[in-house]
Amino acid sequence: MTSSTSAPPRRKSRTVLPATVTLAAWRMRQTWRLLVVTGLGMLVGVVIVCTTPFFSQVTLTAGLRSVLTATPPDSEVVIRTTALQLSTSIAAQNNKELGDFMRQHAGAYFSGPPHFTIQPPRLHVASFRAGDQLQLVGDSMQASAAHVELIKGRLPQATNSDEVEIAMTPTTADAIPATIGTVLTTTMGFLGSTAPIEVRLKLRLVGTFIPIPGDPYWHGETFSPGILGKDFTFFQALMSNDGFLATLTRLEDPLWPLLLDKPTLLWYYHLDVLHISMADLDDLIGKLNVTQLQITQQFGDTSTLEGTRLIGPPVESFGAPSTLEKYRDRVAVVQIPVNIVALQVFCLLLFFVSMMADLLVERQAEVIALLRSRGASRWQVFGSFVNQSIGLGVIVLVAGPLLAILTTRWIAQALLISADQGALNILAGNPLRIALGAGWYALAASLGAVIAMIVALRSSASRDVLEMRREAARATRAPLWQRLYLDIVAMIIALTGFGISLYVAHAGVFDTRVNLLIAAPLALIAPIFLVVAGVLCFLRFFPLLVRQAARFAARRPGAPPMLALAQIARAPRQAMRMVLLLALASSFAIFSLTFTASESQQILNVAAQQTGADFSGITQESAVVNTAVEQLTLAQRIAAYRKIPGVLSATLGFAADAVPAGGASTIPIAIRAVDPQTFVQTALWTDQDSSQSLPSLMSQLTRASTKLAIPAIVDALAWKNLHLTSGARFELSVQNSALLFAAVAEVQHIPTVNDSLDAPGTSDYTPPGGILVDYNVLAASYQTANLERLALNYVWLRTSDDPAVLTKIRAALSAGLLGLAPLNDRRAMIAALQYDPLYLDLIAVLGLGAIVTVLLALVGNLIASWLNARSRLLNFAVLRALGSAPWQLARVLIWEQGMVYAAALLLGILFGALLIATIVPVLVFVGAPNNGAAISSGEFYVIQHVLPVQIVLPPSLGAVFAGLILICVVALWMMARIVAKPSIGQTLRLNED
């Protein structure tokens, strides 16, 4: 009997996953806490990267909609044409052709059908006095019934007679005079075969009405009598479109096919503002421009129409940019800094992720050595970390955009006013669809975080345990950035950026808007690279400084400082990472807080400079002749405004533009002639306007003794362009009269004279200079030269701050003989600028970035300190066994970590001050409305250096640093207590855990 032995069959592995994935999952159970913190940093980075475009779209959409709703005409696109022939059939054909054309080219952006109106030229009625005229306004009576209050009779209708029914306001009917049933006779001209023919047109008054006040439906028409020149009046009346067309149809005759008195036809198309977003802006501008061009080509001159064109604020007008184009230009100025700041925040978060990855490897150094000793290859160890990184990247790629939507909603609801929160509707609907809108941002951010983590892991995971222990005990290998001399590279980039920025700012090659588009990004990037270069240069010499400090400490009594410095000098890598992370985060926080406070202060300064007082503006009587008002004296006019409840002081003066006589300069000069006594009590005057106080300047006007010359306070721009010296005389043409002035003082700025404005989209704008003079002296000189009285046309008011009183003051100044147009309201301007969506866009990114980076920097440093202390527990236990007291060990750790935190905070303060000094004066800019009153983002000028930027250190800055120091102290105290307690046995048990 024979027997044989055979080897048992080898079992097939049931594992279907690669070894690296299995290893990654196994190690995740031991390192999940660090992985959670690392993943949190990656998630925050992706959320910020996705929140920036989401929030920008919300704020920019809110700003765009505020442009389109600032005034009723801002959202209207109007087809304006002149009718050569007009009848019911012709009007229907025109309506169809133009309607089809508009729907084809831009119909997606309009809401509902257009508002069609016919306006014949002003007609002379037989019963009117010579020179008086009647303006007929045609409309759909079915639509207009909801926009009028009927007083007597009825609204006009289409009839079968040869009469056109009309309706008037009671004021107009009384002024004509006319009553219900009155027939007014006028004529209309037709071009006959041989000569023009006039046909009598009868107008029957069938009702009186009052249009609803302020109703945008009437496009500014009040139907009240108006002044025509100085001696005549024009009246307005409402008629039915259908009735007028029916009458023209009955009058039609082959002998007069063409109208001599050509009616104007208007189609008002309203943009669907609530459904227009910032993403539609370029497409909307492009379609409106194409529509404007093609409508002129196709309908400009036809057999029935001539001069057809597209007009309105949303479209260009004779080469001047539209409000939409102005807004787009302003968006470009703001968006570039926003994106750069968001990128800077993301880079800080990437550094945090890479630091956590290094800690992850260091935490597993013993396990890596064990795996390598049992046959694991470097690729398997590295691959396990890569799988963990990719797993985190996939999680944050999915969760990041969804959390960004929630974050955007939260920030928008906290910052935007209720009127602007309607822009959140662009985030309404399916969250997955909206999240895909930021898919590329999320993919780039998560991929960048994964790559940063892999790069940080590669160098550490590829080393064996002996090399890792040697590196931990004493640094022998310079960091990658030192080997690549990235500090030198950053310095070169910073200096190059500063040079280009200075050239662009002072070369005068481009206009102010282009300068902002180029100089602002450079001014933001260059200091950032300068800070990075400074920090890296400090860290390059940090080991040398620590070694010198360790030698100095060795000569001094006390072991803890020497031991702490010696430990940092042997292995400075971790200390350098901690210093770099916290220094950059704290410097960014300092800059963000200071920028926000400085921007807020600049808003106050610009509003004061624009208005010159609490309220100011041009008087209503300057636009409408009012002889009774003109006869009042200056004191009587001031007293009338002082009677308004809540007005504390008032002053009147004269405001006009002048030009230098004799070709001395081409700069326009804005004149502000004031009453010195009341102007001192009313006007706002700051140190930025002049180093001299306002009472001192006004006394110079009244004391100045100049023969035949008007004493003038001149701003810096006019002083420079006119080449003035103290006491120098110059001549200005004021309302076509040459007057002689004498310069008695120079100031930086004169409120209400915007001497450094630039309108976006223009390159030929010349900022005006300004002078301030005594009204009484100017009026006397003007009357001597022209034998005419110089009218008072400008008002400044100082008022109470009570909100209820301010409401009444605004109502009193909005209409009547005391009304101001435009009304410059300082408080309203401040509120509008503070809640300007574009301003909030930048502030939100800065604030969110500062909070997140500082918190994560603290978390990263505390974790690094904790793991450093924990990895040295055995050393501390041995020192205790050798006789060291617990408090001595605690002092060693406090000295070591305290120096790291102190160095980081000091560097943060130093480089934060550098960012403030280099970025804040360039980046702080405020948009101000072109007339100082209408707060419309699209009509804002971009103001740069109108006033010198006042750098303001916010009170919260001290509180933030006190909080940082307190957190560091508490963390050091807790770690000191832990490392001072364990014995060797306790330490071994902790390490096993």
Side-chain angles (χ1 to χ4, degrees):
M1 181 176 180
T2 61
S3 63
S4 62
T5 61
S6 60
R10 184 177 299 175
R11 291 191 305 173
K12 294 183 179 180
S13 176
R14 297 181 180 178
T15 304
V16 296
L17 296 176
T20 55
V21 177
T22 304
L23 182 60
W26 172 64
R27 288 306 305 158
M28 192 177 297
R29 290 193 292 256
Q30 281 74 31
T31 60
W32 66 270
R33 295 179 182 85
L34 271 179
L35 285 174
V36 168
V37 176
T38 305
L40 179 63
M42 296 171 65
L43 180 62
V44 170
V46 174
V47 169
I48 288 181
V49 169
C50 295
T51 299
T52 299
F54 280 151
F55 187 70
S56 294
Q57 285 296 312
V58 171
T59 55
L60 297 179
T61 297
L64 174 61
R65 293 178 182 177
S66 68
V67 169
L68 296 175
T69 57
T71 61
D74 287 330
S75 62
E76 292 178 345
V77 177
V78 186
I79 300 177
R80 183 185 181 94
T81 187
T82 301
L84 299 177
Q85 292 181 321
L86 194 58
S87 65
T88 301
S89 59
I90 292 174
Q93 182 67 22
N94 291 335
N95 277 324
K96 182 180 183 306
E97 292 178 353
L98 288 170
D100 292 342
F101 176 86
M102 294 297 289
R103 281 190 295 272
Q104 177 184 354
H105 287 79
Y109 294 108
F110 297 130
S111 61
H115 178 196
F116 175 58
T117 179
I118 303 174
Q119 295 185 3
R122 290 175 182 169
L123 305 172
H124 176 69
V125 178
S127 59
F128 287 3
R129 64 172 179 164
D132 291 349
Q133 295 179 357
L134 176 65
Q135 172 71 66
L136 296 177
V137 177
D139 198 63
S140 167
M141 293 301 101
Q142 184 178 1
S144 62
H147 302 277
V148 299
E149 179 185 353
L150 193 61
I151 304 301
K152 289 183 180 180
R154 58 179 175 81
L155 292 179
Q157 301 294 333
T159 66
N160 294 324
S161 66
D162 59 349
E163 297 178 343
V164 177
E165 294 186 350
I166 61 173
M168 298 178 177
T169 62
T171 304
T172 302
D174 292 341
I176 287 179
T179 58
I180 303 297
T182 299
V183 176
L184 305 176
T185 302
T186 183
T187 58
M188 288 199 68
F190 292 84
L191 184 62
S193 57
T194 56
I197 300 171
E198 287 191 348
V199 177
R200 295 179 62 190
L201 188 65
K202 295 180 180 180
L203 309 175
R204 181 177 293 274
L205 181 62
V206 297
T208 57
F209 72 98
I210 297 176
I212 296 177
D215 193 338
Y217 179 84
W218 298 111
H219 310 290
E221 301 288 356
T222 63
F223 295 94
S224 299
I227 297 174
L228 192 62
K230 290 187 176 181
D231 302 320
F232 305 107
T233 306
F234 75 91
F235 304 96
Q236 285 185 303
L238 177 66
M239 69 176 183
S240 168
N241 283 336
D242 294 337
F244 182 70
L245 291 173
T247 301
L248 288 186
T249 302
R250 286 191 294 272
L251 292 176
E252 188 176 3
D253 188 285
L255 295 179
W256 52 76
L258 299 178
L259 290 163
L260 287 179
D261 299 323
K262 303 177 183 64
T264 299
L265 308 182
L266 298 167
W267 287 267
Y268 293 91
Y269 284 85
H270 294 271
L271 292 172
D272 190 5
V273 177
L274 296 181
H275 295 91
I276 293 176
S277 67
M278 185 61 198
D280 302 321
L281 181 59
D282 289 335
D283 183 61
L284 175 59
I285 292 175
K287 286 188 175 181
L288 289 179
N289 288 340
V290 171
T291 304
Q292 186 181 36
L293 177 64
Q294 293 189 0
I295 199 172
T296 302
Q297 295 175 348
Q298 186 170 341
F299 298 97
D301 292 296
T302 67
S303 60
T304 60
L305 303 175
E306 72 173 2
T308 306
R309 56 194 179 96
L310 200 67
I311 60 175
V315 296
E316 291 185 4
S317 178
F318 300 104
S322 66
T323 55
L324 297 179
E325 291 170 325
K326 292 178 183 178
Y327 180 75
R328 182 175 60 182
D329 292 339
R330 184 167 178 252
V331 165
V333 173
V334 178
Q335 270 308 100
I336 293 175
V338 169
N339 293 331
I340 293 175
V341 170
L343 181 61
Q344 178 186 0
V345 173
F346 181 66
C347 290
L348 286 175
L349 295 177
L350 288 184
F351 183 73
F352 168 82
V353 170
S354 65
M355 181 176 175
M356 290 296 101
D358 280 340
L359 294 177
L360 189 65
V361 174
E362 292 174 5
R363 182 76 176 87
Q364 302 180 84
E366 299 297 333
V367 176
I368 293 173
L370 179 63
L371 293 173
R372 293 293 305 279
S373 66
R374 294 188 176 182
S377 65
R378 290 184 177 182
W379 164 246
Q380 288 176 323
V381 175
F382 176 65
S384 67
F385 289 118
V386 170
N387 286 326
Q388 291 178 347
S389 304
I390 294 175
L392 291 177
V394 172
I395 293 173
V396 301
L397 176 61
V398 175
L402 297 176
L403 290 177
I405 297 174
L406 298 178
T407 304
T408 301
R409 286 186 173 277
W410 175 71
I411 296 175
Q413 291 172 355
L415 294 181
L416 296 179
I417 59 176
S418 57
D420 291 331
Q421 289 185 14
L424 283 171
N425 65 355
I426 66 173
L427 299 180
N430 187 349
L432 293 178
R433 180 186 59 81
I434 298 170
L436 289 176
W440 289 110
Y441 294 98
L443 180 61
S446 57
L447 186 62
V450 170
I451 292 175
M453 193 172 178
I454 291 175
V455 170
L457 293 170
R458 182 178 180 276
S459 59
S460 299
S462 62
R463 290 178 285 178
D464 57 32
V465 66
L466 181 61
E467 184 180 0
M468 293 179 65
R469 287 178 175 175
R470 187 186 306 117
E471 191 69 23
R474 182 178 299 277
T476 59
R477 189 177 183 183
L480 179 63
W481 64 265
Q482 286 190 7
R483 299 196 300 271
L484 296 179
Y485 294 96
L486 293 184
D487 50 347
I488 305 300
V489 173
M491 183 67 71
I492 293 174
I493 294 175
L495 295 178
T496 303
F498 275 122
I500 298 175
S501 177
L502 290 174
Y503 171 78
V504 171
H506 297 92
V509 178
F510 307 107
D511 59 60
T512 303
R513 184 183 64 85
V514 177
N515 284 349
L516 284 175
L517 289 173
I518 300 175
L522 290 174
L524 187 59
I525 293 173
I528 292 174
F529 275 97
L530 184 61
V531 167
V532 172
V535 172
L536 294 180
C537 286
F538 172 79
L539 296 181
R540 180 180 287 276
F541 296 102
F542 180 70
L544 177 61
L545 294 176
V546 173
R547 287 195 294 270
Q548 294 297 329
R551 294 192 186 98
F552 177 77
R555 303 190 188 100
R556 311 292 297 176
M562 180 197 65
L563 292 175
L565 288 169
Q567 174 63 27
I568 296 176
R570 282 196 302 269
R573 183 165 177 260
Q574 182 172 337
M576 292 164 60
R577 289 184 306 184
M578 295 172 61
V579 169
L580 182 59
L581 179 61
L582 188 56
L584 291 176
S586 57
S587 64
F588 181 76
I590 293 173
F591 161 72
S592 300
L593 292 173
T594 305
F595 175 85
T596 303
S598 302
E599 184 83 10
S600 299
Q601 182 61 45
Q602 190 72 354
I603 286 175
L604 302 180
N605 295 339
V606 167
Q609 198 272 342
Q610 287 284 100
T611 59
D614 291 335
F615 291 91
S616 66
I618 300 174
T619 58
Q620 292 277 21
E621 60 268 18
S622 63
V624 179
V625 176
N626 193 308
T627 307
V629 173
E630 282 191 339
Q631 298 303 319
L632 297 177
T633 64
L634 175 62
Q636 290 172 328
R637 298 276 293 280
I638 291 175
Y641 281 98
R642 286 292 304 271
K643 290 180 181 179
I644 300 176
V647 173
L648 304 179
S649 63
T651 185
L652 274 80
F654 172 76
D657 293 331
V659 293
S665 173
T666 58
I667 180 174
I669 302 294
I671 297 177
R672 298 295 181 264
V674 300
D675 175 47
Q677 294 181 349
T678 55
F679 189 73
V680 169
Q681 303 169 2
T682 308
L684 294 175
W685 197 269
T686 66
D687 294 338
Q688 291 181 307
D689 296 321
S690 173
S691 58
Q692 301 183 58
S693 66
L694 186 58
S696 173
L697 292 170
M698 292 297 99
S699 65
Q700 293 183 51
L701 283 184
T702 56
R703 290 200 318 262
S705 57
T706 57
K707 296 180 179 179
L708 302 178
I710 305 168
I713 296 170
V714 186
D715 70 4
L717 183 63
W719 190 282
K720 177 182 178 181
N721 279 272
L722 296 176
H723 309 289
L724 299 178
T725 58
S726 182
R729 300 191 177 190
F730 58 98
E731 194 174 33
L732 298 178
S733 177
V734 182
Q735 294 188 349
N736 299 321
S737 297
L739 301 178
L740 187 63
F741 297 84
V744 297
E746 179 187 4
V747 297
Q748 289 299 315
H749 307 279
I750 296 175
T752 72
V753 178
N754 301 320
D755 55 2
S756 295
L757 294 180
D758 180 76
T762 64
S763 58
D764 57 352
Y765 177 78
T766 303
I771 64 172
L772 189 65
V773 298
D774 187 330
Y775 168 77
N776 296 312
V777 177
L778 178 66
S781 300
Y782 183 82
Q783 190 165 16
T784 301
N786 292 274
L787 302 179
E788 292 183 4
R789 186 171 178 269
L790 190 66
L792 295 163
N793 66 354
Y794 209 87
V795 176
W796 293 264
L797 301 176
R798 179 72 64 90
T799 64
S800 168
D801 293 325
D802 188 292
V805 174
L806 286 174
T807 302
K808 297 179 181 178
I809 294 174
R810 292 184 178 112
L813 297 177
S814 299
L817 293 179
L818 298 182
L820 306 179
L823 174 60
N824 303 326
D825 186 341
R826 183 179 64 88
R827 297 178 184 87
M829 187 182 297
I830 291 173
L833 292 175
Q834 287 176 338
Y835 290 101
D836 177 24
L838 299 188
Y839 162 74
L840 294 178
D841 190 9
L842 181 57
I843 295 302
V845 174
L846 281 171
L848 182 63
I851 294 173
V852 168
T853 53
V854 170
L855 289 179
L856 288 182
L858 282 175
V859 170
N861 278 9
L862 293 178
I863 291 176
S865 299
W866 176 269
L867 293 179
N868 179 41
R870 192 181 169 115
S871 66
R872 294 162 56 195
L873 281 178
L874 186 59
N875 295 337
F876 288 125
V878 171
L879 290 175
R880 281 203 60 190
L882 294 176
S884 297
W887 63 270
Q888 290 177 318
L889 301 179
R891 286 185 60 193
V892 171
L893 185 64
I894 290 174
W895 269 96
E896 180 182 332
Q897 299 299 320
M899 285 186 288
V900 170
Y901 287 122
L905 293 178
L906 289 176
L907 276 181
I909 294 174
L910 176 63
F911 291 112
L914 178 61
L915 290 176
I916 292 170
T918 53
I919 297 180
V920 171
V922 179
L923 192 61
V924 169
F925 56 88
V926 178
N930 58 351
N931 58 12
I935 307 298
S936 165
S937 299
E939 291 294 338
F940 275 23
Y941 286 125
V942 175
I943 296 184
Q944 186 74 355
H945 301 308
V946 170
L947 300 172
V949 175
Q950 184 177 350
I951 296 178
V952 178
L953 297 178
S956 58
L957 196 59
V960 169
F961 263 86
L964 291 177
I965 294 172
L966 180 61
I967 291 173
C968 294
V969 170
V970 172
L972 290 176
W973 177 75
M974 293 178 64
M975 285 186 290
R977 282 177 56 86
I978 293 173
V979 301
K981 285 184 178 180
S983 62
I984 293 180
Q986 293 171 328
T987 301
L988 293 176
R989 285 193 295 273
L990 283 173
N991 287 334
E992 290 176 358
D993 294 338

